[in-house]
């Protein structure tokens, strides 16, 4: 019996030491907003190597493939990424683990943190992987958040828990996968990580595809949101079934330095509304007739779309320039014109006049009507949190959908002792209504991260003032594997 156990442990050890480069099979993903320092390095890689993806999360197959492009041109970046991502090359591994202790007396919604608020005093996040075979990957993860003064003592999300099947050109993911439909780092108009992670089924390529010399990517998914009252006939509502969200993204890379893409998201079904492929097909091919000109009982649901472009400039000071035009509806009674538009523009400098400093700026502006719909009483949300841009959370709390804008600035400064000072500033402006008066909001997040015995220790503070003039603050101490 003892010999069998020893043989079993030896077999597990051999499996754990086996390395993978994800050359032909499925691949794990780099978690979104879980490890800011690693993500900053990957964002640098995306610009200098010209990663074509306009959505996140990045697959490790894509990251490792593009790392080879900068091995000679950016040896320090290559070395740091190779070290920090080494655990992903093992068949069995804990790929990410962090815990944060926080102190606050407020209850403010934190942007892009899966529904978390400043009322939390403990957060634990982890991701593990088992690359069983080239065609099969088993990933287990989760986020535990404990609240000191709330109707919820704690919140557990199985974020990162999924089964991956297939190959590099068609990976099927089943479970709780984060989906960020935007080329930007600070916000995503169509789908972000501001709300709790949705259970979903998706199919996408984990490596850039090449067809007749044309580079392209795709992602299609079906997800389920939380329960809400849904209007299925004029004046009649039901919360029998949970609404569904379907999305489609496609992008091409005409040149090594330019990527363009398009995304569409459909919110449909729920309550007593029927679920059918015909509903989706009608909404996709006739958005005007299926939504704008349809009665409540014939309306397909709610849909939003965006077209995006990212250009990477190479030179002594490399940078990327990104644009995205979104629409919450159609315009001028034409299916091909976006209505209730949004515009986001961004400049990212991976090396801002220095190899030790990176800088990012993003600006968003939107018209009325976003995330609001006559069919869905709470709108485009999950557990009360908007599925898209964080700055519109206050509007959904008060059932308004007015114009507004936001600014996002982020900087990472690497110091001599390999510690990192990071700063993140967000501002937002919402147009007031007759019943709700909004004020200009701002928030500042400062972190000082220190390498310690192979791990990362972070001390930080988070302060600001919301759109109702309420101040909030939080201090934190974090430890990362």
């Amino acid at each position: 019996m003892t010999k069998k156990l020893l043989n079993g442990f030896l077999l597990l050890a051999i499996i754990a030491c086996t390395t993978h480069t994800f050359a032909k099979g499925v691949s794990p993903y780099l978690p979104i907003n879980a490890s800011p320092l690693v993500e900053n390095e990957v964002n640098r890689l995306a610009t200098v190597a010209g990663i074509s993806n306009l959505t996140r999360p990045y697959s490790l197959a894509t990251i490792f493939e593009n790392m080879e492009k900068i091995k000679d041109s950016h040896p320090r970046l290559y070395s740091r990424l190779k070290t920090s991502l080494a655990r992903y090359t093992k068949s069995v591994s804990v790929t990410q683990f962090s815990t944060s202790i926080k102190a606050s007396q407020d209850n403010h919604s934190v942007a892009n943190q899966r529904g978390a608020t400043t009322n939390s005093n403990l957060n634990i996040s982890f991701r593990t992987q088992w690359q069983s075979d080239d065609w099969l990957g088993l990933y287990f993860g989760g986020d535990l958040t404990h609240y000191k003064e709330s109707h919820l003592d704690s919140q557990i999300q199985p974020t990162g828990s999924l089964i991956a099947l297939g190959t590099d050109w068609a990976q099927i993911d089943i479970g709780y996968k984060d989906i960020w439909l935007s080329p930007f780092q600070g916000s995503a108009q169509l789908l972000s990580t501001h709300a709790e992670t949705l259970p979903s089924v998706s199919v996408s390529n984990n490596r850039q595809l090449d067809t007749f010399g044309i580079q392209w990517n795709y992602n299609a998914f079906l997800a389920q949101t939380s329960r809400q009252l849904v209007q299925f006939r004029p004046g009649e509502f039901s919360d029998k079934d949970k609404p569904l969200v379907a999305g489609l993204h496609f992008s091409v890379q005409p040149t090594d330095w330019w990527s363009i893409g398009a995304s569409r998201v459909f919110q449909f079904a729920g309550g007593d509304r029927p679920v059918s492929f015909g509903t989706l097909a009608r909404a996709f091919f006739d958005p005007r007739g299926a939504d704008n000109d349809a009665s409540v009982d014939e309306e397909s649901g709610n849909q939003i779309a965006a077209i995006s472009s990212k250009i990477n400039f190479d030179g002594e000071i490399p940078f990327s320039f990104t644009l995205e035009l979104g629409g919450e509806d159609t315009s001028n009674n034409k299916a091909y014109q976006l209505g209730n538009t949004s515009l986001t523009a961004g400049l990212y400098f991976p090396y801002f006049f220095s190899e030790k400093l990176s800088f990012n700026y993003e600006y968003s502006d939107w018209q009325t009507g976003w995330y609001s719909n006559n069919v869905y009483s709470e709108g485009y949300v999950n557990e009360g949190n908007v599925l898209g841009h964080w700055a519109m959370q206050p509007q959904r709390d008060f059932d308004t959908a007015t114009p507004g804008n936001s600014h996002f600035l982020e900087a990472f400064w690497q110091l001599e002792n390999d510690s990192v000072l990071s700063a993140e500033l967000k501002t937002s402006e919402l147009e007031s209504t007759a019943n709700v008066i909004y004020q200009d909001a701002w928030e500042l997040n400062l972190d000082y991260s220190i390498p310690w015995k192979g791990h990362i220790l972070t001390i930080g503070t988070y302060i600001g003032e919301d759109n109702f003039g309420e101040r909030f603050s939080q201090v934190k101490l974090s430890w990362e594997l």
Side-chain angles (χ1 to χ4, degrees):
M1 182 66 180
T2 303
K3 186 176 181 180
K4 290 182 179 179
L5 285 174
L6 289 174
N7 289 336
F9 283 123
L10 180 61
L11 178 61
L12 285 175
I14 294 173
I15 292 175
C17 292
T18 303
T19 60
H20 282 255
T21 57
F22 318 109
K24 298 180 181 179
V26 298
S27 168
Y29 297 97
L30 185 71
I32 300 175
N33 296 328
S35 181
L37 300 187
V38 175
E39 286 185 90
N40 180 57
E41 299 285 53
V42 172
N43 290 332
R44 283 176 162 174
L45 173 70
T47 296
V48 298
I51 292 181
S52 62
N53 299 59
L54 296 176
T55 65
R56 289 190 290 165
Y58 290 126
S59 72
L60 268 298
T62 290
I63 294 174
F64 285 136
E65 182 177 48
N66 282 274
M67 280 172 55
E68 296 304 312
K69 298 179 183 179
I70 57 106
K71 188 174 182 179
D72 297 326
S73 60
H74 297 81
R76 293 182 181 178
L77 177 60
Y78 175 84
S79 178
R80 290 195 300 267
L81 281 171
K82 185 177 180 180
T83 300
S84 59
L85 300 177
R87 59 180 68 99
Y88 286 96
T89 64
K90 295 182 172 62
S91 294
V92 179
S93 176
V94 176
T95 54
Q96 184 267 328
F97 180 87
S98 64
T99 179
S100 298
I101 300 173
K102 305 174 182 180
S104 173
Q105 298 296 325
D106 311 293
N107 192 20
H108 172 75
S109 177
V110 183
N112 304 326
Q113 292 298 321
R114 305 176 183 88
T117 72
T118 55
N119 194 36
S120 63
N121 56 9
L122 174 66
N123 178 263
I124 298 174
S125 175
F126 69 95
R127 305 288 186 272
T128 64
Q129 71 177 35
W130 177 25
Q131 293 292 134
S132 177
D133 209 326
D134 285 343
W135 61 272
L136 174 63
L138 303 175
Y139 311 104
F140 179 62
D143 292 321
L144 168 65
T145 304
H146 183 269
Y147 295 92
K148 57 182 179 179
E149 294 177 4
S150 174
H151 64 286
L152 292 175
D153 291 331
S154 61
Q155 181 184 49
I156 300 176
Q157 297 184 55
T159 305
S161 295
L162 55 95
I163 300 173
L165 306 164
T167 184
D168 58 348
W169 56 269
Q171 177 169 325
I172 300 173
D173 297 309
I174 305 170
Y176 289 81
K177 171 188 171 183
D178 280 331
I179 303 174
W180 181 283
L181 285 184
S182 171
F184 296 98
Q185 301 169 28
S187 66
Q189 195 76 16
L190 268 58
L191 189 59
S192 71
T193 59
H194 184 71
E196 288 85 337
T197 307
L198 302 174
S200 65
V201 178
S202 67
V203 57
S204 61
N205 60 299
N206 64 50
R207 281 179 180 270
Q208 182 173 266
L209 300 173
D210 189 325
T211 305
F212 303 115
I214 299 176
Q215 316 292 323
W216 58 286
N217 299 281
Y218 75 94
N219 184 16
F221 66 88
L222 178 65
Q224 185 181 64
T225 68
S226 59
R227 198 178 306 276
Q228 64 170 291
L229 287 173
V230 179
Q231 188 172 195
F232 61 96
R233 280 194 294 266
E236 296 186 51
F237 291 82
S238 169
D239 63 355
K240 177 183 176 183
D241 295 325
K242 297 178 180 180
L244 301 175
V245 171
L248 179 64
H249 169 80
F250 180 80
S251 66
V252 296
Q253 190 177 34
T255 69
D256 292 338
W257 47 268
W258 183 31
S259 297
I260 54 176
S263 302
R264 289 181 69 179
V265 177
F266 309 88
Q267 182 183 20
F268 67 105
D272 281 316
R273 299 183 70 86
V275 180
S276 69
F277 178 77
T279 300
L280 276 177
R282 182 166 174 254
F284 184 85
F285 292 106
D286 184 21
R288 177 190 59 80
D291 292 334
N292 297 46
D293 295 343
S295 61
V296 169
D297 52 342
E298 295 181 349
E299 190 170 348
S300 298
N302 183 31
Q303 59 178 304
I304 51 182
I307 52 176
S308 52
S309 168
K310 181 179 181 181
I311 301 176
N312 296 313
F313 293 87
D314 196 10
E316 292 187 9
I317 305 177
F319 68 95
S320 60
F321 175 62
T322 310
L323 278 174
E324 183 177 78
L325 176 66
E328 207 282 338
D329 224 326
T330 58
S331 179
N332 296 322
N333 209 30
K334 299 183 186 300
Y336 58 86
Q337 290 188 6
L338 295 174
N340 297 335
T341 57
S342 69
L343 177 67
T344 305
L347 278 172
Y348 174 65
F349 295 86
Y351 300 103
F352 194 59
F353 298 97
S354 169
E355 285 195 359
K356 297 181 179 180
L357 182 64
S358 64
F359 179 78
N360 182 36
Y361 170 69
E362 298 171 10
Y363 170 76
S364 297
D365 183 274
W366 57 88
Q367 295 179 339
T368 187
W370 278 88
Y371 310 147
S372 178
N373 186 263
N374 63 313
V375 171
Y376 299 96
S377 60
E378 296 181 30
Y380 185 61
V381 301
N382 184 44
E383 299 293 350
N385 295 295
V386 295
L387 290 168
H389 199 305
W390 54 268
M392 281 180 264
Q393 180 62 44
Q395 297 203 57
R396 297 315 312 135
D397 291 341
F398 286 86
D399 196 26
T400 63
T402 63
N405 63 75
S406 69
H407 298 265
F408 172 81
L409 297 95
E410 184 180 46
F412 286 83
W413 182 23
Q414 191 166 6
L415 305 178
E416 294 296 335
N417 59 353
D418 287 335
S419 59
V420 176
L421 181 64
S422 61
E424 183 181 279
L425 175 66
K426 298 186 183 77
T427 69
S428 64
E429 179 182 356
L430 304 174
E431 186 174 301
S432 299
T433 68
N435 299 320
V436 183
I437 305 299
Y438 294 112
Q439 299 183 25
D440 294 350
W442 65 271
E443 54 186 67
L444 176 65
N445 189 72
L446 294 172
D447 285 336
Y448 179 58
S449 301
I450 310 165
W452 181 68
K453 295 184 178 180
H455 307 292
I456 298 175
L457 186 66
T458 300
I459 303 170
T461 182
Y462 176 54
I463 59 174
E465 184 174 297
D466 65 20
N467 293 102
F468 306 101
E470 297 292 331
R471 294 288 183 96
F472 59 87
S473 63
Q474 185 180 61
V475 293
K476 68 177 180 180
L477 177 65
S478 301
W479 177 83
E480 183 179 341
L481 181 68

